[in-house]
Amino acid sequence: MSVAPPPLGRRERNKQAKLERITAAASALFAEHGVDDVTTQQIADAADIGTGTLFLYAKTKGELLLLVQNAHYATALERGCAAAAEESTALDAVVALVAPIVACNRVHVDNGRTYLREMAFGNPTEPHHAEALAIVARTEEAAAGVLAQRTGLARTEAVTLAHVISAILFLTMASSEYVDSDVEGIVAAVRAQIAAILPC
């Protein structure tokens, strides 16, 4: 018989409520104006907290963006895993896996590109950055599983190829070459590059 976790104390409930207000405020402001045109003071005001309190939850605006976007990317990965399971070929399955991630990244192009920059160059000791990297690791793990199952590659080879596919995805979404491309255009570009490296 499972034991229910003890209820949160008042202090923890207050912290959770503040985090939810911060996330909601940052999400709304970033979506409306873009991360570059929003200040931490605006986020603090919208969340009804002081900027000092805000920085206890995220030390930079980049970390705030990671906080907001990580949940969306995790959900996109779940959708991608479900879609990949329905495909029969390795190429179709890997593309189905990453397509929702591309769609998530392109909801707001500048925010999506900033998210990728923060993920690549941000401080890995910050919790929201660490969570972003964990999502990348889960994506690569899912891709490696697809490749091992659908191509018969050894596990080590599948892991290496999944890492390459992750780099393709990241660079294509971040590249200035594709800044005006829609989701379908980016997915098509990613598909063509993956097709070129998959074993026959």
Side-chain angles (χ1 to χ4, degrees):
M1 182 168 78
S2 62
V3 177
L8 294 175
R10 179 181 297 172
R11 184 175 179 211
E12 289 302 313
R13 289 197 308 272
N14 287 340
K15 285 175 64 177
Q16 184 62 36
K18 284 178 186 173
L19 178 61
E20 289 170 2
R21 292 203 313 269
I22 291 166
T23 304
S27 181
L29 288 166
F30 290 159
E32 183 177 355
H33 303 289
V35 66
D36 291 337
D37 293 327
V38 174
T39 67
T40 52
Q41 184 63 60
Q42 288 172 310
I43 295 169
D45 290 345
D48 195 27
I49 59 171
T51 52
T53 300
L54 177 66
F55 291 133
L56 294 175
Y57 291 83
K59 292 181 179 176
T60 65
K61 194 165 59 170
E63 273 289 299
L64 283 167
L65 180 63
L66 291 171
L67 166 66
V68 168
Q69 293 292 86
N70 282 343
H72 299 310
Y73 275 70
T75 299
L77 176 56
E78 290 176 11
R79 289 198 309 270
C81 288
E86 300 299 316
E87 300 294 343
S88 57
T89 71
L91 178 60
D92 288 341
V94 171
V95 172
L97 174 69
V98 302
I101 295 171
V102 174
C104 180
N105 181 262
R106 303 310 275 188
V107 168
H108 190 292
V109 174
D110 289 340
N111 289 351
R113 295 178 78 208
T114 302
Y115 177 84
L116 296 174
R117 185 179 68 230
E118 287 295 327
M119 187 173 61
F121 302 111
N123 184 347
T125 65
E126 293 296 328
H128 308 305
H129 184 275
E131 175 58 22
L133 294 179
I135 294 167
V136 172
R138 293 198 301 271
T139 304
E140 291 185 11
E141 178 67 23
V146 165
L147 293 167
Q149 182 182 36
R150 305 274 199 314
T151 67
L153 284 172
R155 180 70 186 170
T156 54
E157 293 174 312
V159 167
T160 299
L161 189 53
H163 190 63
V164 173
I165 289 169
S166 181
I168 288 169
L169 177 65
F170 183 98
L171 289 173
T172 305
M173 290 191 299
S175 172
S176 296
E177 178 182 354
Y178 297 101
V179 70
D180 294 323
S181 297
D182 59 12
V183 172
E184 290 74 19
I186 292 177
V187 170
V190 169
R191 181 186 183 91
Q193 292 173 78
I194 294 172
I197 64 169
L198 283 183
C200 298

